Amino acid sequence: RRPAVTLAAFTLALAVLLLTPGPTNTLLAVAGASQGFRRSLPLMGAEIAGYLTTIVPLVTFAGPFLESQPLIANAVKLASAAFVLYLAIRLWTAPAPDAARTCIEGRCVYVTTVTNPKALIIGLALIPPGPLAETLPYLAVLCVTILAVAGLWLLLGAAVIRAVSRRHPVLVGRVAAGFLLFFAVSLAGKAAGLV
């Protein structure tokens, strides 16, 4: 059993982890650019649901199992990589006016977040395993931190990326696809033991 971390240390580590660019943050930024901040707010709920879908089972019972089953853990990473690659292809091949809107829906953000390696890190390394009642304070901090960080990514997209997309409509989808491709290759490399 991992030692418990304080909520303050957990909050700091969590904020740093969630602020780093990743598949979910890429989708949120593109959504902020294409749909605006207010219309993209429901995606924050999809992100929270996605993280909780992965993290709660990891913390309550799957963490020790996955640590003893590296093949299954690698299969999860490869499945995540395949889904992120699929998103990258959809964004790259979308027609210019639709490039930023192609897959920025709640279900897409949800599935991307469920397969996001950050969820594995949070569930396997940051939140101490135990019964659900013991993890509730950590899960509450997680939800509040997700709301704050997702709001920042949506604002970044609405303010900065939207300005760029008006001048270069294809660019946003292509850059987002490039980031997603990078994340997919990184995940596959980790699963194969190359990274």
Side-chain angles (χ1 to χ4, degrees):
R1 187 178 167 99
R2 297 190 306 274
V5 295
T6 66
L7 280 177
F10 170 71
T11 304
L12 179 62
L14 182 64
V16 169
L17 179 65
L18 291 176
L19 278 168
T20 59
T24 301
N25 291 338
T26 300
L27 293 180
L28 291 176
V30 172
S34 65
Q35 299 162 192
F37 179 77
R38 271 188 241 158
R39 287 186 57 209
S40 300
L41 285 175
L43 298 177
M44 294 163 64
E47 181 180 5
I48 289 173
Y51 274 120
L52 291 178
T53 298
T54 299
I55 292 168
V56 170
L58 284 176
V59 171
T60 54
F61 63 88
F65 173 76
L66 283 178
E67 287 176 359
S68 65
Q69 301 294 325
L71 288 176
I72 294 174
N74 285 338
V76 170
K77 290 176 190 171
L78 287 174
S80 300
F83 183 73
V84 172
L85 179 61
Y86 164 74
L87 291 177
I89 292 168
R90 282 188 60 190
L91 279 172
W92 186 271
T93 59
D98 298 327
R101 301 174 200 268
T102 300
C103 59
I104 316 302
E105 306 166 339
R107 68 185 165 98
C108 194
V109 170
Y110 171 79
V111 173
T112 300
T113 306
V114 166
T115 62
N116 192 325
K118 290 179 187 180
L120 296 175
I121 293 168
I122 295 165
L124 295 175
L126 293 183
I127 299 178
L132 188 58
E134 289 179 16
T135 62
L136 284 178
Y138 293 95
L139 296 175
V141 168
L142 172 70
C143 291
V144 170
T145 307
I146 288 170
L147 288 173
V149 171
L152 289 173
W153 280 99
L154 290 173
L155 282 172
L156 172 73
V160 177
I161 299 174
R162 179 176 269 185
V164 172
S165 69
R166 286 187 183 129
R167 290 187 181 163
H168 309 285
V170 177
L171 186 63
V172 172
R174 297 278 167 94
V175 169
F179 276 113
L180 292 175
L181 178 62
F182 171 77
F183 300 130
V185 169
S186 296
L187 280 171
K190 287 177 185 174
L194 301 174
V195 178

